[in-house]
Amino acid sequence: MTATTMETKQRPWWVMLTGGVIAVIVGAVLLWAPAKTAASAWLLLTAMLGIYWLVLGILDIVSMFEDHSAWGWKLFIGIVSILAGLIILMYPIAAAIALPRIFTLMLGIWGLIYGVILLLMTFQGGGWGAGVLGVLAIILGISLIANWTSPGIGLAFIWGAAVCLLIGGVILIVRAFQQRE
């Protein structure tokens, strides 16, 4: 059986739609929010990222019950996302101010792992939207890992993360409506 003839299972359309809408909202807030200083922009990124990871982790675990394929990966990335989101929301000041380099490295590692898992899920029937979002997450993750020791790197990637979230969110929304039909 080849990849083109294999029956594929996709994430439920509403999970992709919810993830896409959240990604677009977070990306838009990060790109156009009236953050008056670099510090407030960084705190905004931290809070939005914590919320995004928390909701995304919950959606990944919910999708595991809808579609049992690759359930181990969904459970793993769901738990990692929930834990990362909760830690960031519990300690936003520490994550944003005291540990910006480590936070950037964690974001890069998470982006790389999440991107690889999305690509694996794409080849198991997750759809092209998950594949594109996976590639974007890998690119962002590698960029952050490569530059995590540079001063102010977290602030420099706010717009990059916002653009990736907007593009990935729109792709997920389009893909969700295509899958629903």
Side-chain angles (χ1 to χ4, degrees):
M1 181 175 284
T2 66
T4 56
T5 61
M6 184 175 75
E7 182 181 329
T8 60
K9 294 180 182 178
Q10 298 178 338
R11 295 174 113 184
W13 72 271
W14 61 269
V15 172
M16 279 199 293
L17 178 64
T18 305
V21 168
I22 291 169
V24 167
I25 290 170
V26 171
V29 167
L30 291 176
L31 198 57
W32 292 297
K36 303 213 181 336
T37 66
S40 64
W42 183 245
L43 286 173
L44 178 63
L45 172 66
T46 304
M48 296 302 290
L49 190 60
I51 292 167
Y52 180 73
W53 279 349
L54 183 64
V55 172
L56 193 64
I58 292 168
L59 290 176
D60 282 334
I61 290 176
V62 167
S63 75
M64 178 181 74
F65 294 108
E66 294 277 331
D67 176 16
H68 301 296
S69 63
W71 69 268
W73 287 112
K74 291 175 186 175
L75 180 63
F76 173 73
I77 197 64
I79 290 171
V80 169
S81 295
I82 289 171
L83 288 175
L86 286 174
I87 289 170
I88 288 169
L89 291 174
M90 288 181 354
Y91 305 106
I93 302 298
I97 295 173
L99 304 170
R101 289 182 181 167
I102 294 172
F103 179 71
T104 302
L105 180 62
M106 287 175 23
L107 176 62
I109 291 170
W110 179 86
L112 188 61
I113 291 171
Y114 195 71
V116 168
I117 290 172
L118 278 175
L119 282 180
L120 290 173
M121 290 173 61
T122 297
F123 292 117
Q124 294 178 353
W128 63 268
V132 171
L133 191 58
V135 169
L136 290 173
I138 288 171
I139 291 169
L140 180 64
I142 290 171
S143 298
L144 289 171
I145 290 169
N147 298 303
W148 74 279
T149 57
S150 300
I153 194 67
L155 297 176
F157 278 98
I158 289 175
W159 284 356
V163 169
C164 285
L165 285 168
L166 284 171
I167 292 170
V170 168
I171 289 170
L172 281 176
I173 291 169
V174 168
R175 182 66 186 121
F177 284 114
Q178 287 176 343
Q179 182 177 331
R180 185 171 184 218
E181 294 174 357

